[in-house]
Amino acid sequence: MPIELGHFALILAFAIASIAAVGGFAFWRSGERIAQFVSQAAILQFVLIAIAFLALIQAFVVSDFSLALAAKNSNPVIPMLFKISGVWGNHEGSMLLWILILVGFGAMVAAFGKNLPRDLLTLVLAMQALLTASFSGFTIFTSNPFWRLSPAPLQGSDLNPVLQDVGLAIHPPLLYTGYVGFSICFSFAIAALISGRIDGAWARWVRPWAILSWLFLTLGIAMGSYWAYYELGWGGWWFWDPVENASFMPWLAGTALLHSALVMEKRNALKVWTVFLSIITFSLSLLGTFLVRSGILTSVHTFASDPTRGLFILALLALFIGGAFLLFALRVSTLRHGGLFAPVSREGALILNNLFLATATGAVLVGTLYPLLLDALAGVSISVGPPFFNLTFAVLMSPLLIVLPFGPLLAWKRADVVAAAQRLVAAAALAMFLAVLIAALSGATVSMAPIGLLLGFWVAFGAFAELVERGKVGRIPPMDSVRRLAGLPRTTWATAIAHFGVGVTVLGIVATSAWETELVTTLNPGETTSLASYSIAFDSFDPENGPGFTAEVGTFTITDTDGGTRQMQAARRTYQASGLPTTEAAIQTYGFSQLYLQLGEAVNGTHVVRLWHKPYITLIWIGTLFMAFAGALSLTDRRLRVGAPRRKARQVREAVQ
């Protein structure tokens, strides 16, 4: 019965979304009544999709294998967490999660956007309803998660073993929230183009949604990176996999959108560019959905290989992206230019930021799609791998990192770059000192590593130059500085923390890329090897039983330079239901560095062991946590709360009338 209820709820949500989309676009000028209708419809869609999703979870939890999806992706012996995460560990269930997040954002707009102009609110929710109707229709007709089996099997097949991990229970919801959250920015852009309501107030309404989506996308990408690092056993944190790129492109475009919307809010400038970024960011999210589910890619990240689904998604892609850019082309000439500013100004710095980010997005897009298009059109298979992306990114990001600390120190409209540089002298001196010191202590030969360290420290220390300046640190009594710093807007703190996080991540990337060491050897229990001043002793190799799998576990004792010892366990598992093997790497963290061990198959009692020492690699993910925290902090600023103050919204309506 719950399965039928969930199926009916999904169909009903599809019908309500279709009606809300048609009614909203047809009668968006009708004022309060139609706005209330689409708002109530948005909340009702969320309730119905939530019921459908809970019905799916219930079937997985109780191992109801009359549900085809549960029979294919679950088993009674797997832990409860992985039964639940199995709901979205497949194409059909993940699509329903995608739709749940989509209607969740629509319901939040309906709940928190009551102070928006009625016509704008109606158009935004109508666009969200159209997206919901399209993707719920796709799910119902090509990817029905509620398909029944008769007779029902006694046992399920199993969830893919590499997905039976805490990281994969967390990663997809975070990533989808970021992906789908940008639909709100997209809907605001469409609403603005239709209504002609594009001004600083529009940017103020869009920015919180962009920040929220960017925050979750940052966490989702970081979680996915760390999962691939420790679970797949490859020893790397980023591989420029096309599906990794599919999430990275909207992150780059979304970062540009955040900065562009700030210029539009403060100076009523960059209107065309901000609307364009709102469209392109969600378009890249849709492109990622197509890449993952079309079957044109073979990857551990992909969900589907059915070309029919790929064609359906391609049609949706053409409808929404093509329609949005057609509307943009028709309406762009009606947009008025905003305030003027000098090239050397905060606006100019933010435009330069956007230029580099947009170029980087384009480079990743070309590197990702060119091999696919060449294969489809000419039948020629080529590979665009890490060397291309690493070189391209180094060239594009280095200038951006150099100018990044200047931006917050420049005044709006017109600024003095020499004065800003003088405030950064201390940060530059400290960054140079530490970069040279670390390079010298590491015994580095001629390489780019010291330059990378210099850039990382420069961004990290320069991030707080504005706080030092505005707090008058060192120029007034310390307690007065503390009070001035405490009184600064939270967005100012958020900017500093986010830029500091970028610097920390750069330091982690540079350190692990330049000084990582690797050893591939063979060991028997009782033998010892060494790597990077660590002694690794192979103690034992023992069988072990786990929930739904059997394993062979190798135990190693690590002795560091101080004589301290720690134990690590690496394993090779075989899952009983599917018979599939996985490799579980052993990781030991020392400060910000890690020792990484992968155990190979045994041949005549001898094991192939791969060891990596990865200096300061954890800084990569620590930096992303700083960025995400900065996004959350900025959302607590009263100036960025969802929706405009009631008094201002009323003034806007009066001005229009």
Side-chain angles (χ1 to χ4, degrees):
M1 181 64 183
I3 301 302
E4 284 69 30
L5 178 62
H7 194 186
F8 176 73
L10 176 60
I11 295 172
L12 188 57
F14 165 71
I16 292 173
S18 301
I19 295 170
V22 172
F25 282 119
F27 304 105
W28 63 273
R29 296 179 184 274
S30 299
E32 186 68 30
R33 181 172 297 181
I34 188 65
Q36 287 183 353
F37 169 74
V38 293
S39 296
Q40 292 168 357
I43 295 172
L44 185 56
Q45 290 166 57
F46 172 71
V47 172
L48 291 169
I49 297 298
I51 291 172
F53 195 72
L54 288 173
L56 214 57
I57 290 178
Q58 188 268 347
F60 274 73
V61 167
V62 302
S63 298
D64 181 359
F65 297 131
S66 67
L67 181 71
L69 200 64
K72 187 178 179 181
N73 298 280
S74 187
N75 194 280
V77 299
I78 65 175
M80 182 60 67
L81 174 63
F82 303 143
K83 287 185 178 182
I84 296 173
S85 65
V87 172
W88 54 80
N90 56 82
H91 168 71
E92 293 85 355
S94 66
M95 277 308 307
L96 193 59
L97 175 62
W98 207 98
I99 298 167
L100 176 65
I101 296 171
L102 181 67
V103 295
F105 271 96
M108 285 194 290
V109 171
F112 300 118
K114 296 179 180 178
N115 296 323
L116 292 172
R118 301 293 89 183
D119 56 346
L120 191 68
L121 176 63
T122 299
L123 287 169
V124 169
L125 294 179
M127 189 66 237
Q128 288 293 116
L130 181 59
L131 289 167
T132 301
S134 300
F135 282 95
S136 58
F138 166 73
T139 302
I140 291 168
F141 296 114
T142 73
S143 310
N144 186 3
F146 297 104
W147 192 265
R148 288 280 202 176
L149 290 177
S150 182
L154 296 178
Q155 294 289 331
S157 296
D158 202 6
L159 178 64
N160 186 335
V162 299
L163 303 183
Q164 294 186 37
D165 182 82
V166 175
L168 253 290
I170 301 171
H171 166 58
L174 290 175
L175 196 68
Y176 288 3
T177 303
Y179 262 161
V180 181
F182 282 116
S183 66
I184 297 296
C185 304
F186 178 83
S187 295
F188 265 101
I190 298 301
L193 289 170
I194 293 174
S195 66
R197 192 186 293 274
I198 305 177
D199 52 19
W202 178 88
R204 185 166 60 252
W205 294 321
V206 168
R207 277 190 70 213
W209 300 106
I211 293 172
L212 182 64
S213 304
W214 180 88
L215 184 164
F216 278 101
L217 190 56
T218 301
L219 291 174
I221 292 173
M223 184 70 254
S225 166
Y226 194 65
W227 168 80
Y229 168 71
Y230 73 78
E231 177 64 24
L232 298 182
W234 299 340
W237 60 276
W238 194 262
F239 303 95
W240 295 106
D241 180 284
V243 183
E244 288 179 327
N245 294 348
S247 61
F248 191 45
M249 288 186 289
W251 186 88
L252 289 170
T255 305
L257 173 61
L258 292 179
H259 293 85
S260 177
L262 178 63
V263 176
M264 185 173 173
E265 178 185 347
K266 297 292 186 181
R267 299 283 300 136
N268 200 28
L270 300 185
K271 294 180 181 179
V272 174
W273 179 241
T274 305
V275 172
F276 175 80
L277 282 176
S278 298
I279 295 172
I280 200 66
T281 302
F282 184 62
S283 298
L284 290 170
S285 296
L286 292 178
L287 178 63
T289 302
F290 170 71
L291 291 175
V292 172
R293 302 169 192 281
S294 62
I296 64 173
L297 294 178
T298 301
S299 167
V300 295
H301 303 82
T302 53
F303 280 115
S305 58
D306 184 350
T308 303
R309 294 170 174 172
L311 290 174
F312 202 118
I313 297 177
L314 189 61
L316 292 179
L317 212 65
L319 171 65
F320 289 112
I321 298 178
F325 282 117
L326 177 61
L327 179 62
F328 180 80
L330 293 174
R331 297 286 293 174
V332 68
S333 61
T334 64
L335 301 182
R336 296 180 180 178
H337 296 289
L340 299 176
F341 52 87
V344 179
S345 61
R346 186 173 295 192
E347 296 96 325
L350 291 171
I351 289 175
L352 190 63
N353 159 290
N354 270 225
L355 176 63
F356 284 113
L357 288 172
T359 306
T361 305
V364 177
L365 181 65
V366 170
T368 303
L369 294 186
Y370 178 68
L372 303 176
L373 293 175
L374 191 64
D375 186 27
L377 298 177
V380 178
S381 296
I382 66 169
S383 176
V384 177
F388 166 81
F389 292 108
N390 290 338
L391 179 61
T392 303
F393 243 71
V395 171
L396 290 173
M397 291 296 105
S398 296
L400 177 59
L401 295 175
I402 292 172
V403 302
L404 191 62
F406 283 91
L409 295 172
L410 297 176
W412 294 102
K413 198 171 182 180
R414 183 181 297 275
D416 185 349
V417 71
V418 175
Q422 290 173 344
R423 298 167 189 163
L424 289 166
V425 168
L430 185 57
M432 186 170 296
F433 170 75
L434 288 176
V436 172
L437 177 64
I438 293 173
L441 292 176
S442 67
T445 57
V446 177
S447 71
M448 299 299 291
I451 297 176
L453 290 176
L454 177 61
L455 288 175
F457 283 124
W458 162 249
V459 173
F461 297 145
F464 294 105
E466 183 187 15
L467 299 180
V468 172
E469 176 67 22
R470 296 181 65 172
K472 296 185 177 180
V473 177
R475 291 180 287 163
I476 60 176
M479 290 309 299
D480 290 344
S481 292
V482 170
R483 282 191 288 270
R484 288 179 66 89
L485 289 171
L488 291 177
R490 292 177 186 175
T491 51
T492 302
W493 279 97
T495 299
I497 293 170
H499 290 179
F500 176 76
V502 172
V504 170
T505 295
V506 170
L507 290 172
I509 293 171
V510 172
T512 194
S513 299
W515 296 302
E516 175 184 289
T517 53
E518 180 182 358
L519 173 67
V520 181
T521 187
T522 56
L523 288 177
N524 291 317
E527 295 181 340
T528 301
T529 189
S530 61
L531 176 69
S533 75
Y534 294 95
S535 175
I536 300 98
F538 193 175
D539 296 334
S540 63
F541 186 68
D542 305 299
E544 183 180 282
N545 293 320
F549 64 84
T550 59
E552 294 176 315
V553 180
T555 302
F556 298 81
T557 296
I558 314 300
T559 305
D560 58 30
T561 53
D562 297 328
T565 61
R566 301 186 190 182
Q567 278 199 334
M568 299 171 64
Q569 288 189 327
R572 297 184 62 82
R573 294 179 179 176
T574 301
Y575 284 78
Q576 296 166 353
S578 63
L580 295 175
T582 64
T583 300
E584 303 297 319
I587 301 175
Q588 192 64 249
T589 301
Y590 292 88
F592 295 117
S593 303
Q594 289 186 334
L595 196 65
Y596 188 110
L597 186 151
Q598 183 193 38
L599 184 64
E601 292 186 19
V603 180
N604 298 324
T606 300
H607 301 264
V608 176
V609 176
R610 295 187 69 184
L611 288 158
W612 288 269
H613 177 246
K614 298 178 177 291
Y616 301 101
I617 191 170
T618 59
L619 292 181
I620 296 171
W621 299 293
I622 291 172
T624 62
L625 292 178
F626 275 112
M627 295 181 222
F629 173 74
L633 180 64
S634 66
L635 287 174
T636 65
D637 193 301
R638 62 183 180 84
R639 296 179 302 175
L640 275 181
R641 288 175 187 159
V642 178
R646 187 174 300 276
R647 179 178 58 83
K648 293 185 178 180
R650 190 159 50 240
Q651 290 175 352
V652 170
R653 288 196 294 270
E654 290 172 356
V656 172
Q657 294 171 355

